[in-house]
Amino acid sequence: MILIKTPSQIEGIRASSKLAATTLNYTASFIKVGISTEELNKIAHNYIISHGAIPAPLNYGGYPKSICTSINNVVCHGIPSKKEILKEGDIVNIDITTILNGYFGDTSASYPVGKISQEAQLLIERTKKSMELAIKSVKAGKYLNECVGRVIENYISPFGYSVVRDLGGHGVGIKFHEDPFVFHHNTPENHIMLKAGMIFTIEPMINASENWHVIQDKYDGWTIRTQDGSLSTQFEHTILVTNSGAEILTKI
Ligand code: MF3
Ligand code: CO
Ligand code: CO
């Protein structure tokens, strides 16, 4: 069931989303060669707690940390570790989800570490652009796939990239993951009419090869990597559907 949020719920989700966005921006300002992903986790954790909120990933289905940090061929759900040190040329996604007064906001972005290859830079720019094009096309009365999966796949595939299918966006706000499951590739499964008051994430994971398949780490049960070892990047916003378009809630 897809919830239509009430004005007071929207206020709460807007505030939590804003905190998620400022946490992401603050945490990302510490990205540099030599910092560990565990240090980034601590910075984000402390920032969220000091603003009266809770990091949603911590203990979510047994997840052990407060944020996700996904480097290079890691698609998503990378677990911060003090043994994982950022190095020159890496690309890293930081994913932040906050719970503020019971309301959830979810956002992520991918960043360069020092000087990166042109291949990596283009992947970051195009992934971000694909998310932005999808957000711009959202409007009440249109269909979910028409705005998201079709827009993203049509934009991204001419570059020889692929759209990850096994993970997607999701309704968000009252819970971490609500209906609908948002596909980022073109599929009739998302033939859902958008209505004002729906809130969901758009968070395309784009692989720098035509292989969209991913593998889950057997040992930690979380880390998702590209099957072929290619780079993958992701951007994520939480958005509110309105009659005139979409409002990005995870905006600074
Ligand atoms: N923030 C992720 C998302 O965008 C979910 C992370 S779940 C976790 O949906 F448990 F790995 F944190
Ligand atoms: Co999400
Ligand atoms: Co997220």
Side-chain angles (χ1 to χ4, degrees):
M1 197 213 16
I2 304 175
L3 298 173
I4 304 297
K5 269 78 175 186
T6 67
S8 80
Q9 289 171 335
I10 290 169
E11 273 319 300
I13 299 163
R14 191 182 274 122
S16 188
S17 296
K18 181 116 182 154
L19 178 61
T22 53
T23 305
L24 177 59
N25 194 46
Y26 178 73
T27 307
S29 73
F30 290 87
I31 291 174
K32 63 170 198 296
V33 174
I35 195 168
S36 71
T37 50
E38 171 57 23
E39 286 173 271
L40 296 174
N41 179 72
K42 278 209 192 81
I43 290 162
H45 179 93
N46 292 336
Y47 188 92
I48 292 167
I49 296 295
S50 73
H51 287 79
I54 298 165
L58 190 59
N59 300 318
Y60 179 77
Y63 187 78
K65 296 287 175 177
S66 299
I67 65 171
C68 298
T69 49
S70 304
I71 300 175
N72 298 338
N73 62 322
V74 176
V75 173
C76 63
H77 303 171
I79 303 175
S81 159
K82 42 180 201 280
K83 286 190 230 151
E84 188 175 59
I85 312 292
L86 298 185
K87 57 180 200 307
E88 183 92 22
D90 282 344
I91 50 176
V92 60
N93 174 279
I94 299 180
D95 194 330
I96 306 280
T97 313
T98 48
I99 313 174
L100 180 64
N101 301 318
Y103 297 109
F104 291 74
D106 191 7
T107 186
S108 87
S110 295
Y111 302 91
V113 181
K115 190 171 163 39
I116 62 171
S117 67
Q118 198 199 12
E119 179 204 6
Q121 184 60 40
L122 285 173
L123 182 65
I124 288 178
E125 284 167 16
R126 289 162 173 170
T127 301
K128 183 170 194 213
K129 177 85 176 174
S130 76
M131 175 192 66
E132 290 167 348
L133 290 173
I135 293 171
K136 280 199 189 100
S137 79
V138 165
K139 192 178 172 171
K142 292 171 78 178
Y143 287 90
L144 184 55
N145 178 61
E146 177 190 354
C147 305
V148 181
R150 191 190 298 170
V151 169
I152 291 172
E153 188 160 33
N154 283 349
Y155 173 71
I156 230 63
S157 42
F159 300 118
Y161 300 161
S162 57
V163 182
V164 170
R165 301 183 177 190
D166 297 342
L167 300 113
H170 49 93
V172 65
I174 307 302
K175 294 195 295 175
F176 198 158
H177 294 106
E178 305 172 2
D179 287 342
F181 185 92
V182 177
F183 289 96
H184 299 111
H185 69 290
N186 194 6
T187 167
E189 280 177 87
N190 265 173
H191 192 68
I192 295 167
M193 167 93 72
L194 298 177
K195 299 200 179 89
M198 287 182 179
I199 295 180
F200 55 85
T201 69
I202 299 180
E203 49 179 305
M205 287 146 272
I206 306 298
N207 297 349
S209 81
E210 283 172 6
N211 183 345
W212 51 265
H213 292 281
V214 298
I215 309 170
Q216 186 172 39
D217 189 289
K218 281 199 212 69
Y219 302 100
D220 68 27
W222 285 101
T223 310
I224 305 288
R225 294 185 180 82
T226 55
Q227 186 185 58
D228 64 1
S230 61
L231 294 176
S232 188
T233 56
Q234 181 177 28
F235 283 83
E236 174 176 25
H237 271 311
T238 296
I239 64 154
L240 166 69
V241 179
T242 72
N243 289 318
S244 56
E247 178 186 336
I248 301 175
L249 300 181
T250 39
K251 219 169 170 166
I252 299 165

